[in-house]
Amino acid sequence: GQQLNQSPQSMFIQEGEDVSMNCTSSSIFNTWLWYKQDPGEGPVLLIALYKAGELTSNGRLTAQFGITRKDSFLNISASIPSDVGIYFCAGHRSNDYKLSFGAGTTVTVRA
Amino acid sequence: DSGVTQTPKHLITATGQRVTLRCSPRSGDLSVYWYQQSLDQGLQFLIQYYNGEERAKGNILERFSAQQFPDLHSELNLSSLELGDSALYFCASSAVGTVDYGYTFGSGTRLTVV
């Protein structure tokens, strides 16, 4: 089930803006992952984080693994129209067979 | 192409009917996960199979069932369909011991119940 609180639920952004979203949990996670889902497609992995405090970039995307291991952040810089979609955070705890997913942040870009 | 194949891509059926959704995992992946995504909703975990055995169960209705075959493909069976079952159904796969590298998702089956 979903044990991760993801916010905001949705956002409208201006092309060229930097945006942020985050994911929090009451549990400690050993791995944080960020996925993007384009309309009508399956989610695709963007960034994976494995150490507390880790900061990882993938192009205009930057994600951070929170120091407490209970949160993660995703930033998109200089947004463009193709950034439209749903962004999901996911976490993995040791001894768990599966990932836990957040409810998603829907991003819409104003041209 | 993610390597996870789901068929059919679209399915339209009537209430009360039964359908089967099929998933072939990425080559070498032993775990298969099924998710349901209703309109504007998140990913609801249904069930996980590992090498043919059920490993974890989520919010899966009793009208739904799944199995994983010896060749590792998986099928999700939905019966006595209701209008509210209309959704995108995703299959994902992962390799042994690498859940923390993430899942690979298929492109989904869009089920419409009329």
mmCIF file of all heavy atoms in Angstrom, chain A residues 65-92:
data_model
loop_
_atom_site.group_PDB
_atom_site.id
_atom_site.type_symbol
_atom_site.label_atom_id
_atom_site.label_comp_id
_atom_site.label_asym_id
_atom_site.label_seq_id
_atom_site.Cartn_x
_atom_site.Cartn_y
_atom_site.Cartn_z
ATOM 1 N N PHE A 65 18.131 12.565 -1.112
ATOM 2 C CA PHE A 65 17.745 11.595 -0.090
ATOM 3 C C PHE A 65 17.875 12.318 1.246
ATOM 4 O O PHE A 65 18.961 12.729 1.628
ATOM 5 C CB PHE A 65 18.731 10.422 -0.162
ATOM 6 C CG PHE A 65 18.356 9.194 0.597
ATOM 7 C CD1 PHE A 65 18.537 7.956 0.019
ATOM 8 C CD2 PHE A 65 17.870 9.245 1.894
ATOM 9 C CE1 PHE A 65 18.229 6.788 0.720
ATOM 10 C CE2 PHE A 65 17.550 8.097 2.600
ATOM 11 C CZ PHE A 65 17.745 6.862 2.007
ATOM 12 N N GLY A 66 16.777 12.494 1.959
ATOM 13 C CA GLY A 66 16.807 13.259 3.191
ATOM 14 C C GLY A 66 17.697 12.654 4.269
ATOM 15 O O GLY A 66 17.850 11.426 4.341
ATOM 16 N N ILE A 67 18.268 13.502 5.088
ATOM 17 C CA ILE A 67 19.190 13.093 6.150
ATOM 18 C C ILE A 67 18.527 12.130 7.138
ATOM 19 O O ILE A 67 19.154 11.197 7.640
ATOM 20 C CB ILE A 67 19.713 14.325 6.917
ATOM 21 C CG1 ILE A 67 20.619 15.143 6.011
ATOM 22 C CG2 ILE A 67 20.480 13.908 8.164
ATOM 23 C CD1 ILE A 67 21.939 14.455 5.692
ATOM 24 N N THR A 68 17.264 12.353 7.415
ATOM 25 C CA THR A 68 16.549 11.487 8.368
ATOM 26 C C THR A 68 16.176 10.141 7.754
ATOM 27 O O THR A 68 15.716 9.239 8.452
ATOM 28 C CB THR A 68 15.254 12.161 8.849
ATOM 29 O OG1 THR A 68 14.357 12.290 7.739
ATOM 30 C CG2 THR A 68 15.549 13.518 9.466
ATOM 31 N N ARG A 69 16.350 10.008 6.449
ATOM 32 C CA ARG A 69 15.950 8.816 5.672
ATOM 33 C C ARG A 69 14.438 8.643 5.608
ATOM 34 O O ARG A 69 13.968 7.592 5.194
ATOM 35 C CB ARG A 69 16.617 7.556 6.227
ATOM 36 C CG ARG A 69 18.139 7.610 6.070
ATOM 37 C CD ARG A 69 18.829 6.551 6.883
ATOM 38 N NE ARG A 69 18.494 5.213 6.430
ATOM 39 C CZ ARG A 69 18.740 4.106 7.123
ATOM 40 N NH1 ARG A 69 19.301 4.174 8.309
ATOM 41 N NH2 ARG A 69 18.417 2.922 6.632
ATOM 42 N N LYS A 70 13.719 9.695 6.009
ATOM 43 C CA LYS A 70 12.259 9.612 5.961
ATOM 44 C C LYS A 70 11.670 10.527 4.904
ATOM 45 O O LYS A 70 10.454 10.703 4.849
ATOM 46 C CB LYS A 70 11.680 9.985 7.332
ATOM 47 C CG LYS A 70 12.010 8.987 8.429
ATOM 48 C CD LYS A 70 11.357 9.388 9.725
ATOM 49 C CE LYS A 70 11.653 8.386 10.828
ATOM 50 N NZ LYS A 70 11.009 8.766 12.104
ATOM 51 N N ASP A 71 12.515 11.137 4.088
ATOM 52 C CA ASP A 71 11.978 12.015 3.061
ATOM 53 C C ASP A 71 12.925 12.127 1.870
ATOM 54 O O ASP A 71 14.106 11.772 1.938
ATOM 55 C CB ASP A 71 11.648 13.397 3.613
ATOM 56 C CG ASP A 71 12.833 14.078 4.267
ATOM 57 O OD1 ASP A 71 13.960 13.535 4.193
ATOM 58 O OD2 ASP A 71 12.641 15.153 4.859
ATOM 59 N N SER A 72 12.355 12.627 0.777
ATOM 60 C CA SER A 72 13.125 12.842 -0.437
ATOM 61 C C SER A 72 12.497 13.998 -1.204
ATOM 62 O O SER A 72 11.297 14.271 -1.058
ATOM 63 C CB SER A 72 13.147 11.575 -1.303
ATOM 64 O OG SER A 72 13.904 11.785 -2.475
ATOM 65 N N PHE A 73 13.330 14.676 -1.994
ATOM 66 C CA PHE A 73 12.880 15.836 -2.752
ATOM 67 C C PHE A 73 13.286 15.684 -4.213
ATOM 68 O O PHE A 73 14.333 15.119 -4.514
ATOM 69 C CB PHE A 73 13.524 17.111 -2.196
ATOM 70 C CG PHE A 73 13.274 17.331 -0.739
ATOM 71 C CD1 PHE A 73 14.092 16.735 0.214
ATOM 72 C CD2 PHE A 73 12.214 18.110 -0.316
ATOM 73 C CE1 PHE A 73 13.855 16.920 1.574
ATOM 74 C CE2 PHE A 73 11.970 18.289 1.035
ATOM 75 C CZ PHE A 73 12.792 17.698 1.975
ATOM 76 N N LEU A 74 12.441 16.188 -5.101
ATOM 77 C CA LEU A 74 12.765 16.220 -6.521
ATOM 78 C C LEU A 74 12.606 17.647 -7.015
ATOM 79 O O LEU A 74 11.574 18.272 -6.768
ATOM 80 C CB LEU A 74 11.855 15.280 -7.321
ATOM 81 C CG LEU A 74 12.066 15.305 -8.836
ATOM 82 C CD1 LEU A 74 13.407 14.652 -9.202
ATOM 83 C CD2 LEU A 74 10.930 14.568 -9.566
ATOM 84 N N ASN A 75 13.630 18.137 -7.690
ATOM 85 C CA ASN A 75 13.567 19.473 -8.285
ATOM 86 C C ASN A 75 13.700 19.355 -9.794
ATOM 87 O O ASN A 75 14.514 18.568 -10.302
ATOM 88 C CB ASN A 75 14.695 20.354 -7.757
ATOM 89 C CG ASN A 75 14.573 20.582 -6.266
ATOM 90 O OD1 ASN A 75 13.532 20.973 -5.758
ATOM 91 N ND2 ASN A 75 15.636 20.289 -5.544
ATOM 92 N N ILE A 76 12.903 20.141 -10.509
ATOM 93 C CA ILE A 76 13.002 20.245 -11.957
ATOM 94 C C ILE A 76 13.385 21.685 -12.261
ATOM 95 O O ILE A 76 12.699 22.614 -11.840
ATOM 96 C CB ILE A 76 11.667 19.924 -12.655
ATOM 97 C CG1 ILE A 76 11.129 18.561 -12.213
ATOM 98 C CG2 ILE A 76 11.837 19.973 -14.180
ATOM 99 C CD1 ILE A 76 9.727 18.261 -12.743
ATOM 100 N N SER A 77 14.467 21.872 -12.963
ATOM 101 C CA SER A 77 14.888 23.234 -13.284
ATOM 102 C C SER A 77 14.478 23.586 -14.711
ATOM 103 O O SER A 77 14.419 22.716 -15.584
ATOM 104 C CB SER A 77 16.401 23.389 -13.116
ATOM 105 O OG SER A 77 17.076 22.545 -14.012
ATOM 106 N N ALA A 78 14.193 24.880 -14.913
ATOM 107 C CA ALA A 78 13.874 25.407 -16.248
ATOM 108 C C ALA A 78 12.864 24.512 -16.967
ATOM 109 O O ALA A 78 13.148 23.960 -18.038
ATOM 110 C CB ALA A 78 15.150 25.548 -17.060
ATOM 111 N N SER A 79 11.672 24.371 -16.391
ATOM 112 C CA SER A 79 10.679 23.433 -16.917
ATOM 113 C C SER A 79 10.315 23.736 -18.372
ATOM 114 O O SER A 79 10.305 24.889 -18.814
ATOM 115 C CB SER A 79 9.431 23.455 -16.045
ATOM 116 O OG SER A 79 8.946 24.762 -15.885
ATOM 117 N N ILE A 80 10.016 22.665 -19.091
ATOM 118 C CA ILE A 80 9.624 22.727 -20.500
ATOM 119 C C ILE A 80 8.330 21.938 -20.674
ATOM 120 O O ILE A 80 7.964 21.157 -19.785
ATOM 121 C CB ILE A 80 10.743 22.180 -21.414
ATOM 122 C CG1 ILE A 80 11.055 20.723 -21.061
ATOM 123 C CG2 ILE A 80 11.997 23.045 -21.311
ATOM 124 C CD1 ILE A 80 12.094 20.075 -21.975
ATOM 125 N N PRO A 81 7.630 22.102 -21.791
ATOM 126 C CA PRO A 81 6.338 21.420 -21.966
ATOM 127 C C PRO A 81 6.384 19.911 -21.786
ATOM 128 O O PRO A 81 5.438 19.314 -21.279
ATOM 129 C CB PRO A 81 5.941 21.809 -23.396
ATOM 130 C CG PRO A 81 6.537 23.165 -23.581
ATOM 131 C CD PRO A 81 7.862 23.109 -22.862
ATOM 132 N N SER A 82 7.473 19.268 -22.164
ATOM 133 C CA SER A 82 7.526 17.803 -22.045
ATOM 134 C C SER A 82 7.709 17.325 -20.599
ATOM 135 O O SER A 82 7.724 16.118 -20.347
ATOM 136 C CB SER A 82 8.648 17.236 -22.917
ATOM 137 O OG SER A 82 9.894 17.726 -22.479
ATOM 138 N N ASP A 83 7.804 18.246 -19.659
ATOM 139 C CA ASP A 83 7.854 17.855 -18.248
ATOM 140 C C ASP A 83 6.472 17.499 -17.712
ATOM 141 O O ASP A 83 6.338 17.023 -16.592
ATOM 142 C CB ASP A 83 8.445 18.980 -17.384
ATOM 143 C CG ASP A 83 9.931 19.196 -17.629
ATOM 144 O OD1 ASP A 83 10.608 18.221 -18.031
ATOM 145 O OD2 ASP A 83 10.410 20.331 -17.447
ATOM 146 N N VAL A 84 5.439 17.739 -18.536
ATOM 147 C CA VAL A 84 4.071 17.367 -18.147
ATOM 148 C C VAL A 84 3.993 15.880 -17.836
ATOM 149 O O VAL A 84 4.584 15.054 -18.529
ATOM 150 C CB VAL A 84 3.102 17.710 -19.302
ATOM 151 C CG1 VAL A 84 1.794 16.965 -19.168
ATOM 152 C CG2 VAL A 84 2.852 19.200 -19.367
ATOM 153 N N GLY A 85 3.283 15.551 -16.767
ATOM 154 C CA GLY A 85 3.100 14.148 -16.424
ATOM 155 C C GLY A 85 2.866 13.995 -14.937
ATOM 156 O O GLY A 85 2.669 14.974 -14.220
ATOM 157 N N ILE A 86 2.888 12.765 -14.495
ATOM 158 C CA ILE A 86 2.729 12.474 -13.072
ATOM 159 C C ILE A 86 4.065 11.965 -12.547
ATOM 160 O O ILE A 86 4.658 11.043 -13.116
ATOM 161 C CB ILE A 86 1.640 11.418 -12.816
ATOM 162 C CG1 ILE A 86 0.322 11.831 -13.456
ATOM 163 C CG2 ILE A 86 1.455 11.217 -11.310
ATOM 164 C CD1 ILE A 86 -0.774 10.779 -13.341
ATOM 165 N N TYR A 87 4.525 12.549 -11.464
ATOM 166 C CA TYR A 87 5.783 12.149 -10.837
ATOM 167 C C TYR A 87 5.459 11.376 -9.564
ATOM 168 O O TYR A 87 4.712 11.846 -8.711
ATOM 169 C CB TYR A 87 6.639 13.372 -10.524
ATOM 170 C CG TYR A 87 7.138 14.065 -11.766
ATOM 171 C CD1 TYR A 87 6.310 14.909 -12.493
ATOM 172 C CD2 TYR A 87 8.434 13.838 -12.243
ATOM 173 C CE1 TYR A 87 6.743 15.524 -13.660
ATOM 174 C CE2 TYR A 87 8.875 14.457 -13.406
ATOM 175 C CZ TYR A 87 8.029 15.293 -14.103
ATOM 176 O OH TYR A 87 8.471 15.890 -15.263
ATOM 177 N N PHE A 88 6.026 10.190 -9.461
ATOM 178 C CA PHE A 88 5.813 9.350 -8.291
ATOM 179 C C PHE A 88 7.119 9.172 -7.529
ATOM 180 O O PHE A 88 8.170 8.916 -8.138
ATOM 181 C CB PHE A 88 5.331 7.942 -8.688
ATOM 182 C CG PHE A 88 3.949 7.886 -9.257
ATOM 183 C CD1 PHE A 88 3.746 7.805 -10.620
ATOM 184 C CD2 PHE A 88 2.841 7.902 -8.416
ATOM 185 C CE1 PHE A 88 2.466 7.733 -11.154
ATOM 186 C CE2 PHE A 88 1.556 7.833 -8.940
ATOM 187 C CZ PHE A 88 1.374 7.762 -10.310
ATOM 188 N N CYS A 89 7.039 9.274 -6.215
ATOM 189 C CA CYS A 89 8.167 8.854 -5.405
ATOM 190 C C CYS A 89 7.901 7.407 -4.978
ATOM 191 O O CYS A 89 6.755 6.951 -4.943
ATOM 192 C CB CYS A 89 8.343 9.735 -4.181
ATOM 193 S SG CYS A 89 6.954 9.691 -3.017
ATOM 194 N N ALA A 90 8.968 6.696 -4.702
ATOM 195 C CA ALA A 90 8.860 5.318 -4.222
ATOM 196 C C ALA A 90 10.002 5.067 -3.255
ATOM 197 O O ALA A 90 11.081 5.644 -3.389
ATOM 198 C CB ALA A 90 8.910 4.322 -5.372
ATOM 199 N N GLY A 91 9.738 4.235 -2.271
ATOM 200 C CA GLY A 91 10.770 3.927 -1.282
ATOM 201 C C GLY A 91 10.858 2.438 -1.050
ATOM 202 O O GLY A 91 9.876 1.701 -1.246
ATOM 203 N N HIS A 92 12.034 2.005 -0.650
ATOM 204 C CA HIS A 92 12.228 0.589 -0.320
ATOM 205 C C HIS A 92 12.830 0.486 1.070
ATOM 206 O O HIS A 92 13.820 1.156 1.396
ATOM 207 C CB HIS A 92 13.151 -0.087 -1.341
ATOM 208 C CG HIS A 92 13.366 -1.539 -1.058
ATOM 209 N ND1 HIS A 92 14.607 -2.072 -0.806
ATOM 210 C CD2 HIS A 92 12.487 -2.568 -0.970
ATOM 211 C CE1 HIS A 92 14.490 -3.373 -0.584
ATOM 212 N NE2 HIS A 92 13.212 -3.702 -0.679
#
